[in-house]
């Protein structure tokens, strides 16, 4: 007689083996289709950059910042540098000192200043300027586009200025008059750059 119990047991054993083989085959196919991590995949280093290298006076923003996003210390520090830059730029321009202007302005403004300096030189004109002081300095706007930060600043300054010809005759201005000047300038900086300077990128009068 055939032992029915043993036959059932053998069939169950064969079923287990078949299911195991099918499961192994499916797992192998999935691994070939989807791939597997080897530990040598290319990593995204953009998120691993140390954000603390950004100027600590500013906080990286995911939205367009407004002036209110900057703390008072950050604004005060920027304005301190902007005041020095303003005085240095206008006095260097009057004196015709291109080397002093170059690190403080962008290429377009530097070229415009250089052209005017050369024009005065070719026409034997001499520009004189005395910087009396700043009456007021105010941040008008602040914006961030990618890693470029830009301040728009309103300056109200007092200067004494004149333009002389080759015979030292005054053609424009006066040495006896203090002139009030209103300027709106834009300063920009790449916050990932090693250059610590804010660069003058636009002037509006």
């Amino acid at each position: 007689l055939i032992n029915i119990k043993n036959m059932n047991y053998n069939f169950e054993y064969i079923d287990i083996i078949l299911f195991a083989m099918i499961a192994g085959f499916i797992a192998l196919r999935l691994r070939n289709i989807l791939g597997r991590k080897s530990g040598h995949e290319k990593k995204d280093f953009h998120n691993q950059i140390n954000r603390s290298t950004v100027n600590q006076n500013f906080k990286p923003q995911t939205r367009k910042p407004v002036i209110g996003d900057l703390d008072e210390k950050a604004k005060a520090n920027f304005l301190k540098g902007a005041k020095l830059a303003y005085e240095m730029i206008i006095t260097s321009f009057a004196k015709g000192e291109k080397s002093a202007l170059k690190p403080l302005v962008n290429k377009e403004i530097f070229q415009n200043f250089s052209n005017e300096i050369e024009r005065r030189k070719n026409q034997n004109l001499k520009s004189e300027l005395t910087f009396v002081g700043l009456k007021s300095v105010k941040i008008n706007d602040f914006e961030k586009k990618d890693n470029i930060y830009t301040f728009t600043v309103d300056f109200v300054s007092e200067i004494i200025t004149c333009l002389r010809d080759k015979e030292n005759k005054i053609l424009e201005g006066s040495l006896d008059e203090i002139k009030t000047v209103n300027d709106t300038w834009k300063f920009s900086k790449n916050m990932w750059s090693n250059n610590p300077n804010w660069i003058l990128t636009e002037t509006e009068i």
Side-chain angles (χ1 to χ4, degrees):
L1 293 176
I2 299 173
N3 191 331
I4 301 300
K5 183 177 181 180
N6 288 337
M7 288 181 64
N8 291 337
Y9 177 79
N10 290 335
F11 279 121
E12 290 176 0
Y13 182 77
I14 292 172
D15 289 344
I16 292 173
I17 294 175
L18 287 174
F19 282 129
M21 291 176 65
I22 292 171
F25 177 77
I26 292 173
L28 181 62
R29 290 291 294 167
L30 286 173
R31 186 175 63 176
N32 290 336
I33 292 171
L34 301 177
R36 58 179 181 176
K37 292 186 177 181
S38 64
H40 298 286
E41 290 79 11
K42 184 177 179 180
K43 298 180 179 179
D44 182 3
F45 288 100
H46 293 289
N47 293 327
Q48 299 178 19
I49 297 174
N50 186 354
R51 298 283 180 175
S52 64
T53 58
V54 178
N55 189 322
Q56 295 181 358
N57 291 332
F58 303 95
K59 298 178 181 179
Q61 307 280 336
T62 56
R63 61 184 174 84
K64 180 181 177 181
V66 294
I67 299 174
D69 290 328
L70 297 173
D71 59 35
E72 293 302 317
K73 182 179 179 181
K75 289 187 284 187
N77 286 340
F78 170 79
L79 286 175
K80 182 179 179 180
K83 292 175 184 178
L84 294 174
Y86 180 85
E87 179 180 355
M88 185 177 296
I89 289 170
I90 64 173
T91 54
S92 297
F93 174 64
K95 294 177 182 178
E97 297 176 344
K98 294 183 183 181
S99 59
L101 287 169
K102 194 169 186 177
L104 299 175
V105 301
N106 67 5
K107 291 181 180 180
E108 182 180 356
I109 292 179
F110 178 74
Q111 188 61 55
N112 292 337
F113 282 172
S114 295
N115 292 342
E116 178 59 21
I117 290 170
E118 288 301 315
R119 185 190 71 83
R120 295 197 309 244
K121 182 178 179 181
N122 293 335
Q123 296 181 12
N124 294 313
L125 301 175
K126 181 182 179 182
S127 176
E128 295 182 7
L129 182 143
T130 300
F131 182 75
V132 178
L134 285 163
K135 295 181 69 175
S136 69
V137 182
K138 182 180 70 173
I139 296 175
N140 182 290
D141 192 21
F142 169 71
E143 61 182 344
K144 174 182 178 290
K145 184 176 180 181
D146 298 327
N147 56 319
I148 305 298
Y149 284 27
T150 300
F151 280 99
T152 301
V153 185
D154 293 332
F155 295 93
V156 180
S157 63
E158 291 185 327
I159 61 174
I160 299 172
T161 182
C162 71
L163 186 67
R164 298 179 183 269
D165 63 13
K166 62 181 179 179
E167 296 176 353
N168 216 33
K169 180 182 178 180
I170 295 179
L171 301 177
E172 296 178 8
S174 171
L175 295 178
D176 301 320
E177 178 186 356
I178 297 178
K179 182 179 179 181
T180 300
V181 179
N182 294 276
D183 289 322
T184 298
W185 287 7
K186 285 188 177 183
F187 294 90
S188 296
K189 181 178 180 181
N190 184 333
M191 301 309 292
W192 295 112
S193 172
N194 291 325
N195 184 354
N197 291 338
W198 287 83
I199 304 299
L200 177 62
T201 57
E202 187 176 334
T203 61
E204 301 174 7
I205 299 176

